[in-house]
Amino acid sequence: MERVKRDDGGSSKARGKKGGGGSGGGGPLPPRRLPKPIPQLVLTVLLKRLRKNTGHFGIVSDLSNNIYSTEPLEQFNVVGVHSVRMAEVDQTILQEDDDGEIKVTITSTGQQIDTRQMQWELNTKGTWRGFELETSIKTTLEQVNNAIVKSLPTYKFIPLGRSNLIRWPENQGTGDLGGGVVCWKGISANVAMGWQPYLSADLSHCAFLADTKVMDALKEKIRDLPNDVTQWKPWQFQEAKSFLKNVKIRYKVNGKTIGGPVTELLPRSVSQETFHWEEKGFTTSVYDYFTKHHGIKLNKNGPCLELRKRCKVPAELCIIKKGQSFSRKLDDKQTSNMLNVAKKAPAVLKCEIEEEISNLPTQDNKEIMSAWGMNIGNEMLFLKNTRVLAAPQLRYGPGNGSNSGKGDAIITPKEGQWDPWSGEYAFLNSKTVNVWTIVKVGGAGDKFAPNDDDILQFAQQLRNNGNRKGISFKTRPIRDDGKMAHLRPNDAAASNVTQLVELFENLATQNCDLVVSIIPRKNSPLYSHIKQAAELHVGLLTQCVVGQNVTKGQDATVQNILLKINSKLGGVNYAMQIPPDIEVLNQIDIMRCPMLIMGADVTHPPPGSMKKIQIGKGKTEDVAVPSFVGVTGSIDMTGMPFMMDIRAQRKADRGAAEVIQDLDKIVLDMLIMFRRQTKGIRPRKIIYYRDGVGEGQFPEVLHTEMLAMRKACNSLTDYDGSPYQPKITFVTVQKQDNGRTDKDNRNRFSPSYIIPQGEDPINFWVQPDHTPGRQGRHKTRFFYHSPRGIVNPPPGTVVDKEIVHQTQTDFYLCSHAGMMGTSRPTRYHVLWDDSNFTADEIQHLTYYLCYMYVRCNKSVRIPAPTYYAHWAAARAKALTDGMEEYFGNLPKLNERMRRHEEILKNNPMHFV
């Protein structure tokens, strides 16, 4: 098998495009890197030509940079330069008139892979279990197989990412998400190497820009947008500029369709923007050029776009090109609409996947599949003897009311849920609030903001519900919000923080324990301003509440807020204990074996995120937005209270592993905190759950972060004065993958589909995605065949065979009850284990930790420490709002992010 490579594709002819105002006067463009989707279109044409001319069908491509073949291509005389005229490609997807020509250079890499030993293992043993496959070879084989999958669809599609094949719709797509964004539907399909080679398949719903007029898209996204650009408000101009950046558009002049990416939304109208018309030898406005030279009627005060940094075009002529994925973060409304489109009941989703897969193998590509020894099975393969783990028991505090004197309450969750408010008993360790206040921050003039009566009623609900669980609010809240309601979310962060610091310092002098801050809406910038003032400057505990929730005054909302308040104050709502009726060794009982349970995550800004900072008088500079690290660790034997540490660090280069810097210092601080909180106890085990790591990054992340943890431990001594060497278990957490399974009521699982490969066709299961570098994401789902039909699996469902790694320890766990759509399990990979946990022990411990998340009374999808790490990283981002001037100096930024000593000492769980 040989891999060949295509160059970046400079054009062999200058692709002259006339009709746009610019300094080039419509002259030829310089050679440039080919934009999407041109490589896909060109390679599709070239591969069809090569197969036809050579009769060799064992040649496929990832439609980007690589071509793969079952035979050396030299023997077919195809190595060299090939020309493809743009007139030959699919004009529907191209969407512009282009008479240019692309040269594709095919060169040999010299890399060959002998798969005979792998095939022998599979043919003789029926499995690759226990067969050690070199990582680089496995990666290349998966890339080859995924290239083959891209050759299967016979419909028009857009390749998106490594595995998404999005159908090219005849109309706008599956659904309108709002703001000029629509949803397109397709299939996510790729091949991975488990105990057997598996085709992983799932439905994909991706956000795309609507192919509509630019002005219509802007008006849909930006409220009250005038046609006259000179009347736009600064925030409207900035939103429009951000939306249009790098968006590809097309427009028609003299019957010819021309296109290109938007490089700038120009600040002046078309009548004010000018360019030098070289052909005529004078300067003219964009408005005059199009109206007088081309006879096009225009709005004189309309906005003007710059394309490719060389051409100026009126925005009202432009139409957004179809087929552009929307890579920015969806807003709340778009997210809600996407969920409505994409969420599907398990039975519906299963049928739609089956339909998509059944459409793949057609007569048009049988010759390709035959050349690669492949076939697609049409039945699901059931996995037998899978398990559903029992839920842990949860211990609350002593009974009250009619339950007084009956001892601690023990609750066993059912279907991943429980209701502590239905019984008369307290939290395990309830805290007292001596002095507290409610402050309305922002919302002045908002008709939906809570009034004084609403706030007083909300305060009484907090006190009443708190008393039921032993949380005592000793006094009525101090009311001191007269100076804060006027704060606006869009005001400068520094100004808002300064005013809030003044208020909080005054409250601190009154020994205030808690500030309940009412903010106008979710995700308001005022949230960040409150946390900065309280946690960085004053050391005061805050709890933010959205004004709408105060107005509604629902008990369920108040009770959830109290879960967080008690934890922030240092209380313990409940603790886990091992049920007496299951066989699990004491070494996973955290109440008997001291453990430091840790979670870690790194969150990244969107690709290309930059902030403009002032570097001098009238001078600005773009700096990259950093990544944020969140690390959490348990601080006592109950495993419920957690501490956290945060860092900002530079995002790793493309292809590099995202290791956590300064982890040794973070772990050392947590070990010291654990010892202080437990009066001298040293953890005998460290259980480290690491999120956000792709399989290709496992070796580097394991090596670097294990060394950091060992370094931290070696700097301490054990009880007898010897070096402190606790047993460390390193587990990665992956929340998405590309596979699905079925389970019937006889306790059997069936994956969806698989590719039989080799001489003896075998029906395979839809395998999870093990593609390296995917930041630990997967799309596996379990379909449970119950007497009620196909439903979500019960919490505790574990799969640890067939679809997992051939030689390493990994498993899938569905720890939560599916509330909406089809559940997605989490994949765990044990990279290191000094404790030699059995599979049953590590699975039980992981499952139990999903019940220890204090923000709700449900088991969650990932272990609590990992969930907390997400919140810690999010808090780091909030604490740096308005500190963009330090993004270029991360040591200084981390210094300014350091939280107040009072918060660190008294309220380690302030971040929940």
Side-chain angles (χ1 to χ4, degrees):
M1 183 182 300
E2 183 180 48
R3 187 179 77 170
V4 293
K5 187 176 182 181
R6 173 189 65 82
D7 67 7
D8 287 340
S11 53
S12 63
K13 283 188 179 180
R15 296 164 59 189
K17 296 194 173 184
K18 296 184 179 180
S23 60
L29 291 173
R32 58 190 172 84
R33 184 178 179 85
L34 292 175
K36 295 179 181 178
I38 292 179
Q40 169 205 352
L41 300 176
V42 170
L43 284 174
T44 299
V45 171
L46 180 59
L47 291 182
K48 287 182 178 179
R49 182 195 301 171
L50 294 178
R51 293 178 190 130
K52 180 180 179 181
N53 293 343
T54 64
H56 173 51
F57 289 90
I59 177 171
V60 295
S61 172
D62 61 3
L63 302 182
S64 178
N65 294 310
N66 303 301
I67 294 176
Y68 306 95
S69 173
T70 56
E71 301 288 344
L73 289 181
E74 289 88 344
Q75 70 186 47
F76 299 102
N77 297 319
V78 298
V79 174
V81 180
H82 300 262
S83 296
V84 177
R85 294 187 59 80
M86 294 304 294
E88 299 178 71
V89 307
D90 190 320
Q91 298 299 306
T92 304
I93 297 179
L94 184 62
Q95 302 173 79
E96 62 180 281
D97 297 329
D98 193 332
D99 56 0
E101 185 178 83
I102 303 296
K103 287 185 178 180
V104 181
T105 302
I106 298 177
T107 57
S108 174
T109 64
Q111 181 182 3
Q112 297 188 16
I113 298 177
D114 188 344
T115 60
R116 285 176 295 184
Q117 181 62 32
M118 294 177 57
Q119 194 62 58
W120 182 87
E121 288 278 341
L122 193 60
N123 289 342
T124 57
K125 300 179 181 179
T127 180
W128 281 332
R129 184 182 184 187
F131 177 67
E132 192 68 47
L133 187 61
E134 186 180 332
T135 302
S136 61
I137 294 178
K138 177 182 176 183
T139 299
T140 302
L141 287 174
E142 288 178 342
Q143 291 170 345
V144 173
N145 286 327
N146 293 335
I148 298 171
V149 171
K150 287 185 178 180
S151 72
L152 299 182
T154 56
Y155 49 79
K156 293 178 183 178
F157 69 94
I158 292 287
L160 195 63
R162 284 184 170 88
S163 59
N164 292 316
L165 306 178
I166 306 301
R167 283 182 181 267
W168 186 273
E170 296 299 326
N171 48 32
Q172 284 284 19
T174 306
D176 184 9
L177 304 182
V181 181
V182 294
C183 175
W184 284 16
K185 177 182 171 183
I187 187 170
S188 175
N190 64 287
V191 178
M193 323 293 281
W195 288 9
Q196 297 174 349
Y198 298 108
L199 173 66
S200 163
D202 190 12
L203 286 189
S204 289
H205 294 83
C206 301
F208 279 73
L209 290 170
D211 55 320
T212 185
K213 293 180 180 179
V214 166
M215 291 304 299
D216 290 347
L218 289 178
K219 288 180 178 180
E220 183 179 357
K221 180 172 180 60
I222 305 170
R223 66 180 186 274
D224 303 325
L225 186 71
N227 289 321
D228 187 344
V229 70
T230 62
Q231 296 180 13
W232 288 10
K233 298 175 182 177
W235 69 268
Q236 291 176 321
F237 182 84
Q238 288 301 322
E239 275 203 42
K241 181 178 179 179
S242 175
F243 178 77
L244 292 174
K245 185 72 172 178
N246 296 326
V247 169
K248 299 182 185 70
I249 60 91
R250 59 185 172 88
Y251 62 100
K252 185 172 287 190
V253 175
N254 295 335
K256 183 172 183 177
T257 302
I258 306 171
V262 176
T263 50
E264 193 67 61
L265 171 61
L266 299 172
R268 299 185 298 176
S269 68
V270 290
S271 60
Q272 296 169 325
E273 288 291 344
T274 62
F275 71 98
H276 184 69
W277 192 354
E278 292 183 357
E279 293 179 4
K280 302 293 184 180
F282 61 84
T283 297
T284 183
S285 70
V286 175
Y287 175 81
D288 287 342
Y289 174 80
F290 279 92
T291 55
K292 295 178 181 180
H293 183 64
H294 292 296
I296 299 175
K297 188 176 180 180
L298 292 173
N299 172 16
K300 200 168 188 177
N301 294 317
C304 187
L305 305 179
E306 179 188 71
L307 308 185
R308 297 200 187 101
K309 297 184 178 180
R310 66 181 300 276
C311 177
K312 298 178 181 180
V313 182
E316 65 180 291
L317 293 185
C318 300
I319 297 174
I320 295 174
K321 272 191 174 184
K322 190 173 183 177
Q324 298 180 72
S325 63
F326 185 73
S327 57
R328 300 177 181 87
K329 184 178 179 181
L330 298 177
D331 61 31
D332 290 344
K333 180 180 178 182
Q334 291 168 337
T335 300
S336 176
N337 291 336
M338 175 64 89
L339 288 174
N340 290 333
V341 172
K343 69 180 180 183
K344 300 177 188 296
V348 174
L349 183 59
K350 179 173 178 289
C351 288
E352 292 193 11
I353 293 175
E354 291 172 336
E355 181 180 359
E356 287 285 347
I357 294 295
S358 66
N359 291 333
L360 285 182
T362 65
Q363 189 65 38
D364 295 338
N365 53 45
K366 281 188 176 179
E367 291 173 313
I368 297 174
M369 296 177 67
S370 176
W372 288 91
M374 286 193 173
N375 191 12
I376 292 185
N378 54 13
E379 292 183 358
M380 296 185 181
L381 175 68
F382 286 91
L383 295 180
K384 301 179 180 180
N385 302 320
T386 55
R387 296 173 300 140
V388 177
L389 306 180
Q393 292 181 331
L394 308 177
R395 179 164 62 90
Y396 279 80
N400 52 35
S402 61
N403 287 331
S404 296
K406 294 184 179 180
D408 289 351
I410 305 297
I411 292 180
T412 301
K414 295 182 179 180
E415 297 184 357
Q417 304 179 58
W418 66 99
D419 182 11
W421 301 93
S422 62
E424 294 181 313
Y425 48 82
F427 288 144
L428 186 61
N429 178 14
S430 303
K431 290 296 181 178
T432 297
V433 183
N434 292 306
V435 181
W436 63 300
T437 184
I438 297 181
V439 177
K440 186 162 64 174
V441 181
D446 185 349
K447 63 181 180 180
F448 299 107
N451 57 36
D452 286 348
D453 290 339
D454 295 329
I455 293 173
L456 290 174
Q457 176 64 28
F458 179 76
Q460 190 60 45
Q461 285 181 289
L462 279 175
R463 298 179 71 185
N464 292 342
N465 282 283
N467 287 334
R468 293 175 57 191
K469 294 302 165 189
I471 304 174
S472 175
F473 291 84
K474 291 294 187 181
T475 62
R476 289 178 175 272
I478 304 170
R479 288 299 310 279
D480 191 2
D481 62 356
K483 299 179 181 179
M484 295 300 113
H486 71 281
L487 296 186
R488 296 163 57 89
N490 295 326
D491 287 347
S495 173
N496 284 347
V497 170
T498 299
Q499 296 180 67
L500 288 165
V501 166
E502 182 180 352
L503 170 65
F504 291 162
E505 285 178 339
N506 178 53
L507 292 171
T509 62
Q510 302 178 57
N511 298 318
C512 185
D513 297 321
L514 173 69
V515 179
V516 178
S517 302
I518 302 173
I519 57 178
R521 59 188 57 84
K522 189 178 179 181
N523 298 324
S524 170
L526 291 172
Y527 174 88
S528 298
H529 304 163
I530 291 167
K531 296 304 179 183
Q532 287 182 38
E535 296 174 9
L536 300 182
H537 298 281
V538 182
L540 199 58
L541 188 64
T542 59
Q543 173 63 54
C544 291
V545 183
V546 176
Q548 188 178 21
N549 290 332
V550 174
T551 304
K552 289 181 178 179
Q554 296 178 344
D555 275 338
T557 302
V558 173
Q559 290 163 359
N560 272 344
I561 292 171
L562 285 167
L563 298 179
K564 295 189 283 185
I565 287 177
N566 193 54
S567 299
K568 289 182 177 185
L569 290 167
V572 177
N573 297 347
Y574 59 91
M576 177 188 71
Q577 62 183 40
I578 303 296
D581 57 342
I582 67 171
E583 296 180 0
V584 178
L585 297 182
N586 289 336
Q587 69 165 329
I588 73 160
D589 188 344
I590 62 176
M591 303 294 288
R592 301 182 189 181
C593 178
M595 297 183 192
L596 173 62
I597 304 171
M598 298 181 63
D601 188 28
V602 184
T603 63
H604 308 290
S609 294
M610 306 292 285
K611 288 290 186 179
K612 196 175 291 293
I613 62 171
Q614 196 84 19
I615 59 173
K617 188 174 181 180
K619 295 183 179 180
T620 61
E621 181 182 44
D622 288 334
V623 295
V625 178
S627 299
F628 293 102
V629 172
V631 181
T632 60
S634 56
I635 59 177
D636 67 14
M637 296 278 287
T638 66
M640 288 299 292
F642 273 76
M643 52 192 152
M644 70 92 157
D645 207 340
I646 52 178
R647 293 284 195 280
Q649 66 183 41
R650 187 64 58 219
K651 190 177 188 303
D653 295 333
R654 184 178 179 87
E658 196 68 60
V659 299
I660 295 177
Q661 301 165 14
D662 294 332
L663 184 61
D664 55 332
K665 298 176 183 177
I666 295 173
V667 174
L668 178 60
D669 289 343
M670 291 187 171
L671 288 169
I672 293 172
M673 180 72 163
F674 188 98
R675 186 171 61 186
R676 182 168 65 242
Q677 291 291 116
T678 58
K679 296 181 171 54
I681 294 177
R682 294 157 174 78
R684 308 325 300 167
K685 301 177 188 291
I686 296 178
I687 316 295
Y688 182 69
Y689 287 93
R690 176 67 156 89
D691 196 7
V693 183
E695 187 171 348
Q697 300 174 348
F698 284 175
E700 184 177 350
V701 171
L702 173 64
H703 174 76
T704 305
E705 297 185 5
M706 277 292 294
L707 283 179
M709 286 190 280
R710 293 290 189 203
K711 180 181 178 182
C713 295
N714 289 335
S715 64
L716 301 174
T717 57
D718 214 333
Y719 297 112
D720 59 2
S722 63
Y724 175 58
Q725 296 180 334
K727 296 179 178 179
I728 299 178
T729 301
F730 193 119
V731 185
T732 62
V733 182
Q734 297 174 290
K735 299 183 292 297
Q736 294 180 355
D737 193 61
N738 288 339
R740 295 174 186 270
T741 59
D742 273 352
K743 180 182 177 184
D744 65 12
N745 56 3
R746 291 167 293 179
N747 213 31
R748 294 161 56 191
F749 279 82
S750 64
S752 303
Y753 290 93
I754 198 112
I755 296 181
Q757 183 170 359
E759 298 176 0
D760 300 320
I762 306 169
N763 286 330
F764 299 106
W765 181 83
V766 173
Q767 163 66 3
D769 178 15
H770 301 297
T771 308
R774 286 182 55 83
Q775 293 297 315
R777 298 181 178 180
H778 74 85
K779 298 178 183 176
T780 302
R781 308 198 194 219
F782 299 158
F783 296 115
Y784 178 64
H785 292 247
S786 75
R788 295 178 289 124
I790 298 175
V791 297
N792 282 319
T797 299
V798 173
V799 172
D800 57 5
K801 58 177 62 180
E802 294 290 339
I803 63 173
V804 296
H805 198 278
Q806 304 97 319
T807 57
Q808 300 173 5
T809 302
D810 62 327
F811 60 94
Y812 289 86
L813 170 64
C814 188
S815 56
H816 63 296
M819 297 289 103
M820 180 174 61
T822 304
S823 298
R824 180 177 291 134
T826 301
R827 183 190 181 202
Y828 299 90
H829 206 122
V830 182
L831 300 185
W832 191 271
D833 183 21
D834 291 329
S835 294
N836 294 320
F837 286 126
T838 65
D840 189 53
E841 288 165 354
I842 194 66
Q843 290 165 9
H844 269 93
L845 176 60
T846 300
Y847 181 44
Y848 289 174
L849 290 173
C850 296
Y851 281 83
M852 301 177 71
Y853 184 60
V854 300
R855 291 170 59 101
C856 63
N857 300 311
K858 299 176 183 178
S859 61
V860 290
R861 186 179 164 194
I862 56 178
T866 315
Y867 221 141
Y868 294 149
H870 294 324
W871 287 112
R875 179 58 55 86
K877 184 175 182 297
L879 293 178
T880 59
D881 182 28
M883 297 185 187
E884 289 80 7
E885 61 186 293
Y886 300 104
F887 282 3
N889 186 349
L890 294 187
K892 187 71 172 178
L893 180 64
N894 282 319
E895 182 182 329
R896 295 185 68 86
M897 284 168 55
R898 179 163 179 79
R899 288 148 294 146
H900 198 281
E901 289 297 329
E902 289 296 314
I903 281 286
L904 295 175
K905 180 176 67 174
N906 300 325
N907 309 107
M909 283 200 79
H910 60 277
F911 60 95
V912 299

